[in-house]
Amino acid sequence: MGGEDDGTQCENGRLMLADGLADRGPKSMTSGSGQQVSNGFTTSTPQSPREGPGTAACAAGTASGPGGGTGSSAPLGGLRTLMVQQTSLDRPRETWSKKMDFLLSVIGYAVDLGNVWRFPYICYQNGGGAFLLPYLLMAVFGGVPLFYMELALGQFHRSGCISIWKHICPIFKGIGFAICIIALYVAFYYNTIMAWALYYLLSSFRPTLPWSTCTNPWNTANCNRYMSSDHNVSWSNTSTSPAEEFYTRQVLQVHLSPGLHELGSISWQLALCLLFIFTIVYFSIWKGVKTSGKVVWVTATFPYLVLLILLIRGATLPGAWRGVVFYLKPDWEKLLSTTVWIDAAAQIFFSLGPGFGVLLAFASYNPFHNNCYKDALVTSSVNCLTSFLSGFVIFTVLGYMAEMRQQNVDAVAKDAGPSLLFIIYAEAIANMPAATFFAIIFFLMIIMLGLDSTFAGLEGVITAMLDEFPHLLVKRREWFVFGLVCVCYLGALSTLTYGGAYVVKLFEEYATGPAVITVVLLEVIAVSWFYGTNRFCNDVQVMLGFYPGCFWRVCWVAICPCFLLFIIISFLAFPPEVRLFEYQYPPWTTVLGYCIGVSSFICVPSYMVYHLLNAKGTFKQRLLKSITPVPGGDSHRDFIVTNAV
């Protein structure tokens, strides 16, 4: 760039020459007619100069002449476009210590417990290997474009999910508040699953695992160890395995609660486990991405080591091949069912996790010219491959269980959700040689998979609130994080009761799913249709140096909204039949679930009304102002362009 070549600088700032930089891309800008960028200033170059945080405006400098020689005079009457970088008096924004801190944080967020239990179950339920076709199509045309969009938005505007909307479309600011409430709901139930895993982990430090025998105080007369080595055991329809009774009667104690209408007392063991989990969370995120970026080097990489160990161990077990065949055997006829496509769309969406404010927050701490396009492709690919790998880890063990029980694999794999891990997989581990070792590393893996996602979810809320109320919260970050963690712990107390597992299921089905999909649909519409795809693509070009291709633009304008609408309509047309163990959720719980979901989404229309009522002018002026982006103030975007002789 002309100004960069000149090296024209003064002590407190930098003057840059932007001359003759036309024809750089599909939306190249000429020096004769400046083009608006998202912040409202005019520029004549598709690429911004390298950042110079904290520099002040420079009043004078030299310009390179037509020959490119430094310090040569411009012809008399010739115009040169001068780009002046303005002063930013705000505190410089925190950044990641290393690029790998960011990548591991995003991978740790995207790769969560759902990859381990939800993907294998959905895959075999929807046609095995045939399910990979709709899964990949939904990833390419729906999940990855949304993932890329959020990373680019966060990196360009350097803001959390609330304050970013004044730079995009102010009337949609309610989306940010809705995202924060959804993140709180997730924190209320998601960490409880880690508390269960911690209970299992602490119970694993003994020679004989407690869920491998029927001689414990919590066992009933129906308890049977049904393995091929136990020839004198007869299995009936009323029989239960020791692993199932340990999970339901000792850890959850659901037999002490008749249902959601009477949850019962709080389990003090689980309350202590959850307190320990939240203590780890607090000391990992209280200082910001500088500390959490270091913690994820352990929490994001350790699960892969454990998955590899369990895969090798599972592949050497008798009957493992039966599980793999069951997992991958394609049933092409199932592709004719709309349910398969709905499940594929929902799985890829919740697996990649756009819409929770996390990707916006993480990307906002990146350097301005970081290649977030490559980051989006790498991290989303790692996430999808991890889901596929987890299927082998789970189903080699399920094949072994089927061999030991002399049953079909589908009879063993009937449990879904956490039960797949805490009952079936735990029982399989208990019947392996070196069971204690495998139990310890397995439940450590579950805890670390969950911790990554919790770090990310809360960081999304923290970044949003700190950016929205900087003068109040920035210097009190530690206290704000402490208060947030306390709120999450208190909100999770209902999930620690005897009927807490029913609450977890209710939150999982209703509180987050439909609300976050609707929020992301509005986000895509706001960016693509109100802010404008061309303007957004120009932002990407300024930031990365290249203009997004036709594929990405079509996805953002049309395919992604259709993708999200498809999931929403499917959910409304085929509401899930919620059931846990023997408990069938009564109709009033469906109403309660929808109320919880709407309680977060209601922020969007409420803020729209509030914004229009508080704006000044006629209704038309208010409406126009509410959809017009507000110029930003970050140092990387404040360029004033002038023509000088």
Side-chain angles (χ1 to χ4, degrees), residues 343-365:
D343 285 348
Q347 173 61 26
I348 194 65
F349 177 83
F350 289 112
S351 183
L352 292 176
F356 289 93
V358 174
L359 301 176
L360 290 172
F362 280 172
S364 73
Y365 298 113

Side-chain angles (χ1 to χ4, degrees), residues 85 129 131 180 184 315 381 488 533 549:
Q85 188 165 342
F131 177 74
C180 290
L184 284 179
S381 299
C488 293
T533 305

Side-chain angles (χ1 to χ4, degrees), residues 274-344:
L274 187 62
L275 182 63
F276 181 75
I277 293 292
F278 271 120
T279 303
I280 295 174
V281 169
Y282 175 71
F283 286 106
S284 298
I285 64 174
W286 68 325
K287 292 290 186 183
V289 295
K290 296 288 186 186
T291 53
S292 64
K294 297 294 179 287
V295 176
V296 293
W297 280 82
V298 176
T299 57
T301 56
F302 181 77
Y304 285 96
L305 176 63
V306 176
L307 284 173
L308 184 61
I309 293 172
L310 292 175
L311 179 61
I312 295 171
R313 183 68 188 104
T316 60
L317 293 171
W321 63 273
R322 292 178 58 188
V324 173
V325 169
F326 184 79
Y327 173 47
L328 293 180
K329 185 180 179 182
D331 183 357
W332 299 106
E333 289 184 3
K334 289 216 172 180
L335 295 184
L336 300 175
S337 169
T338 55
T339 307
V340 174
W341 296 85
I342 295 169
D343 285 348

Side-chain angles (χ1 to χ4, degrees), residues 165-330:
W165 288 102
K166 66 185 177 186
H167 304 306
I168 299 174
C169 189
I171 199 171
F172 282 99
K173 192 174 183 179
I175 289 176
F177 293 107
I179 287 172
C180 290
I181 295 174
I182 292 169
L184 284 179
Y185 287 157
V186 173
F188 289 167
Y189 77 87
Y190 190 81
N191 297 282
T192 301
I193 299 171
M194 282 187 284
W196 300 343
L198 180 59
Y199 192 103
Y200 269 85
L201 177 65
L202 297 174
S203 302
S204 300
F205 289 95
R206 57 185 72 183
T208 303
L209 296 176
W211 59 86
S212 63
T213 63
C214 290
T215 57
N216 303 288
W218 59 81
N219 291 128
T220 66
N222 293 328
C223 182
N224 279 320
R225 289 189 74 246
Y226 184 56
M227 305 299 279
S228 59
S229 56
D230 303 319
H231 299 292
N232 58 341
V233 174
S234 58
W235 188 268
S236 67
N237 292 333
T238 59
S239 297
T240 54
S241 67
E244 182 180 346
E245 292 201 346
F246 179 79
Y247 179 56
T248 58
R249 298 180 62 84
Q250 175 64 7
V251 180
L252 303 181
Q253 302 183 69
V254 292
H255 64 288
L256 299 176
S257 170
L260 278 171
H261 62 283
E262 190 178 332
L263 295 176
S265 304
I266 292 174
S267 168
W268 66 267
Q269 297 100 323
L270 291 181
L272 288 177
C273 288
L274 187 62
L275 182 63
F276 181 75
I277 293 292
F278 271 120
T279 303
I280 295 174
V281 169
Y282 175 71
F283 286 106
S284 298
I285 64 174
W286 68 325
K287 292 290 186 183
V289 295
K290 296 288 186 186
T291 53
S292 64
K294 297 294 179 287
V295 176
V296 293
W297 280 82
V298 176
T299 57
T301 56
F302 181 77
Y304 285 96
L305 176 63
V306 176
L307 284 173
L308 184 61
I309 293 172
L310 292 175
L311 179 61
I312 295 171
R313 183 68 188 104
T316 60
L317 293 171
W321 63 273
R322 292 178 58 188
V324 173
V325 169
F326 184 79
Y327 173 47
L328 293 180
K329 185 180 179 182

Side-chain angles (χ1 to χ4, degrees), residues 507-581:
F507 270 107
E508 188 179 15
E509 293 290 342
Y510 292 107
T512 56
V516 79
I517 297 171
T518 309
V519 161
V520 176
L521 174 63
L522 292 177
E523 181 182 311
V524 173
I525 290 172
V527 173
S528 300
W529 299 356
F530 286 84
Y531 185 69
T533 305
N534 288 339
R535 187 186 295 185
F536 174 61
C537 291
N538 286 332
D539 292 348
V540 174
Q541 187 175 21
V542 165
M543 186 168 59
L544 304 184
F546 58 85
Y547 198 82
C550 181
F551 167 77
W552 299 106
R553 299 198 300 274
V554 171
C555 283
W556 291 328
V557 171
I559 298 178
C560 287
C562 292
F563 166 80
L564 295 165
L565 264 178
F566 173 65
I567 304 177
I568 295 169
I569 294 171
S570 302
F571 183 87
L572 295 175
F574 310 102
E577 183 181 338
V578 186
R579 180 186 179 90
L580 184 65
F581 307 126

Side-chain angles (χ1 to χ4, degrees), residues 60-78:
T62 60
S64 59
T70 304
S72 60
S73 300
L76 185 63

Side-chain angles (χ1 to χ4, degrees), residues 611-631:
H611 188 81
L612 289 172
L613 290 177
N614 281 271
K616 295 179 180 179
T618 64
F619 180 76
K620 184 178 180 181
Q621 290 171 332
R622 295 180 187 188
L623 196 60
L624 187 62
K625 185 178 179 181
S626 68
I627 60 174
T628 304
V630 178

